Amino acid sequence: NEIIVATNNAGKATEYEELFLPLKIKIKTLKDFPELPEIEETGTTFEENALIKAHTVAKITNLPVVADDSGLMINALNGEPGVYSARYAGNHDDQANIDKVLVNLKNVAPVDRGASFHTALVAVKPNGDQLLAHGDVEGVILDEQRGTNGFGYDSIFYVDQFNKTMAELTAEQKNQISHRGNAMRNLMTNFETWWRE
Ligand code: ITT
């Protein structure tokens, strides 16, 4: 009763630890498999990238795997940074990515700063059987950072449900409303049967 969460992102790993608790399935992450090669995310959609990560790791480890590919879509920027959320400012540098968003939205009024996060979530068994789910959350991009929890763009993503940014939420609160939490809940409608068969 063990599953690999195919991520190098410590923030994601923390959220999955919480999300898998009720299922009584232990999770490992890519940190536990230092011998695995780096996986190139060559897809053009969240779903394609999640499938690449999950199938690659399942094939090599011969263990069940879940992987997600996620990103931020900002309405005023025509959906940017989208699939390129991790590397919006060049390298995978959360602070540089946030700075770039804030500069690009400098003259955009609060009412026009709507955005959403999306997650494509894939579970794969060693035999290649897969289960797919998606999740979203709507929010507003602030003009300054607030909070230190979470990761990525959380400190500029304000959610009405809590009147806070996602970086001001605990991992448990964020999971209640987040794109990743919603994708997980969507996956769970079929997961238990799929997992047992
Ligand atoms: P893995 O591929 O190893 O899981 P990653 O960080 O590269 O880790 P993605 O390819 O899914 O993950 O890139 C998603 C980027 O989008 C991530 O680096 C963040 O900048 C942002 N992002 C995704 N989910 C987020 C969340 O819940 N809160 C804030 N930012 C998020």
Side-chain angles (χ1 to χ4, degrees):
N1 251 0
E2 196 171 74
I3 200 160
I4 302 176
V5 179
T7 185
N8 286 307
N9 183 317
K12 276 192 195 177
T14 305
E15 291 171 22
Y16 280 111
E17 256 157 45
E18 220 266 327
L19 287 166
F20 272 103
L21 270 181
L23 289 165
K24 307 218 156 63
I25 297 173
K26 274 200 226 135
I27 70 161
K28 288 193 162 169
T29 69
L30 296 186
K31 264 207 334 232
D32 300 305
F33 299 86
E35 69 281 10
L36 288 188
E38 210 192 308
I39 302 163
E40 258 197 277
E41 298 178 25
T42 51
T44 55
T45 63
F46 295 117
E47 195 170 300
E48 272 183 69
N49 282 333
L51 286 166
I52 291 170
K53 290 188 249 189
H55 281 283
T56 306
V57 176
K59 206 170 268 171
I60 302 177
T61 60
N62 209 33
L63 289 167
V65 174
V66 293
D68 90 46
D69 199 62
S70 304
L72 176 66
M73 269 75 55
I74 300 172
N75 303 341
L77 302 178
N78 299 313
E80 274 185 28
V83 207
Y84 305 105
S85 291
R87 279 163 194 82
Y88 192 42
N91 320 326
H92 192 162
D93 176 343
D94 285 346
Q95 189 57 52
N97 290 339
I98 288 172
D99 291 341
K100 182 165 177 182
V101 166
L102 293 180
V103 167
N104 287 346
L105 289 181
K106 214 161 98 184
N107 298 313
V108 179
V111 289
D112 296 321
R113 296 173 75 103
S116 66
F117 275 115
H118 183 80
T119 291
L121 180 58
V122 180
V124 174
K125 287 181 185 167
N127 69 6
D129 267 6
Q130 71 184 45
L131 202 58
L132 254 163
H134 293 267
D136 296 281
V137 61
E138 307 269 325
V140 171
I141 305 297
L142 299 184
D143 58 10
E144 58 179 23
Q145 293 176 253
R146 279 198 221 160
T148 53
N149 299 335
F151 66 96
Y153 301 92
D154 280 343
S155 62
I156 51 170
F157 193 88
Y158 177 91
V159 286
D160 277 342
Q161 294 94 322
F162 286 101
N163 283 312
K164 284 180 176 173
T165 69
M166 294 233 277
E168 294 175 309
L169 304 179
T170 64
E172 193 188 349
Q173 289 172 324
K174 183 179 164 187
N175 281 335
Q176 283 171 25
I177 55 138
S178 75
H179 47 314
R180 189 162 295 105
N182 288 333
M184 208 36 198
R185 280 178 284 279
N186 288 333
L187 190 80
M188 284 309 129
T189 31
N190 300 308
F191 184 84
E192 296 236 35
T193 335
W194 176 83
W195 180 251
R196 276 181 237 288
E197 69 193 15

